Amino acid sequence: DAKTTQPNSMESNEEEPVHLPCNHSTISGTDYIHWYRQLPSQGPEYVIHGLTSNVNNRMASLAIAEDRKSSTLILHRATLRDAAVYYCILNNYGQNFVFGPGTRLSVLP
Amino acid sequence: EPEVTQTPSHQVTQMGQEVILRCVPISNHLYFYWYRQILGQKVEFLVSFYNNEISEKSEIFDDQFSVERPDGSNFTLKIRSTKLEDSAMYFCASRERVNTEAFFGQGTRLTVV
């Protein structure tokens, strides 16, 4: 089963920042924290991943707690196209990704 | 931008028939996966493949399922005798190395009637 805990759903207003939390209290030292999202009727899409340090890319930022037991995906300016299910997944050395139910993000215009 | 390509996008088959779902992973990737998602449910892992052999498989991946990388570019999932409960979206994924990101295809919707 998935080793992460996420809220079932969140809402955001368009053009505002969104902080999606994830708890992973049993994370091991070699687990990477991956975030994927799934838009309706599409395959999962990579968002960002990291090990210990905070990460930024063109899509989002990943803030990792110092003890690594939680992380937050930050979308800096939500758009309607960001409405999706967001998955936080721990992954280690090429193992398969275990998807939980994720967080369904709704973006209101 | 490189992408994982899956064909067909939709396949309808009769119960008991064999189906082959095809995937073209990104060319320099070494790790390959199949997942499925029954309508309204979670994405479920089926099998992973590395160095021309299965590296991990789930309980779902029973003797009815097989995978192959026949020619160094395609990666196929075969279901030997389809059941109604095999109806789902099937996603292929690939990644370059361990601990890199995975890229997923857009999926094949399999409908068994």
Side-chain angles (χ1 to χ4, degrees):
Chain A
D1 283 0
K3 298 178 285 185
T4 63
T5 306
Q6 300 177 250
N8 290 334
S9 62
M10 290 185 65
E11 257 183 19
S12 171
N13 293 318
E14 199 177 6
E15 298 188 6
E16 288 187 356
V18 183
H19 290 231
L20 297 165
C22 180
N23 287 316
H24 29 79
S25 58
T26 60
I27 191 170
S28 74
T30 51
D31 281 334
Y32 278 72
I33 302 159
H34 285 247
W35 284 83
Y36 289 81
R37 70 181 186 181
Q38 189 174 24
L39 280 65
S41 302
Q42 294 192 26
E45 177 188 24
Y46 170 75
V47 179
I48 200 165
H49 77 295
L51 183 62
T52 56
S53 305
N54 295 343
V55 185
N56 300 297
N57 66 20
R58 63 178 177 82
M59 286 183 73
S61 295
L62 176 59
I64 301 173
E66 201 169 323
D67 64 4
R68 300 187 70 235
K69 294 186 176 182
S70 65
S71 61
T72 303
L73 177 69
I74 303 165
L75 307 179
H76 296 285
R77 256 176 101 246
T79 69
L80 296 178
R81 291 186 67 252
D82 292 321
V85 179
Y86 286 78
Y87 302 99
C88 169
I89 303 171
L90 302 183
N91 191 255
N92 195 341
Y93 289 115
Q95 289 175 338
N96 76 87
F97 292 90
V98 178
F99 287 81
T103 296
R104 183 173 298 277
L105 175 67
S106 302
V107 180
L108 307 176
Chain B
E1 188 171 311
E3 59 180 12
V4 174
T5 314
Q6 290 186 243
T7 54
S9 56
H10 189 188
Q11 176 143 8
V12 181
T13 188
Q14 289 204 325
M15 194 167 53
Q17 294 296 303
E18 174 183 285
V19 294
I20 297 176
L21 309 183
R22 291 184 166 78
C23 169
V24 180
I26 295 172
S27 63
N28 61 335
H29 284 193
L30 300 177
Y31 296 82
F32 312 108
Y33 307 84
W34 281 102
Y35 290 82
R36 78 171 187 192
Q37 186 173 32
I38 296 170
L39 188 63
Q41 298 187 24
K42 294 187 296 186
V43 177
E44 299 175 291
F45 167 72
L46 292 177
V47 66
S48 58
F49 194 85
Y50 169 72
N51 202 24
N52 286 320
E53 61 182 27
I54 290 174
S55 45
E56 192 178 358
K57 59 184 180 179
S58 72
E59 289 177 357
I60 303 168
F61 194 88
D62 62 20
D63 292 343
Q64 294 296 318
F65 291 87
S66 62
V67 289
E68 207 176 34
R69 190 155 156 79
D71 55 12
S73 61
N74 291 288
F75 181 49
T76 61
L77 175 70
K78 183 194 292 187
I79 310 175
R80 262 182 269 284
S81 176
T82 49
K83 307 184 187 95
L84 294 176
E85 53 265 38
D86 293 327
S87 295
M89 283 289 289
Y90 287 80
F91 297 108
C92 171
S94 70
R95 64 199 302 189
E96 184 179 0
R97 299 183 306 276
V98 297
N99 297 324
T100 57
E101 64 270 33
F103 292 83
F104 286 78
Q106 287 305 297
T108 292
R109 178 172 298 285
L110 176 66
T111 303
V112 182
V113 297

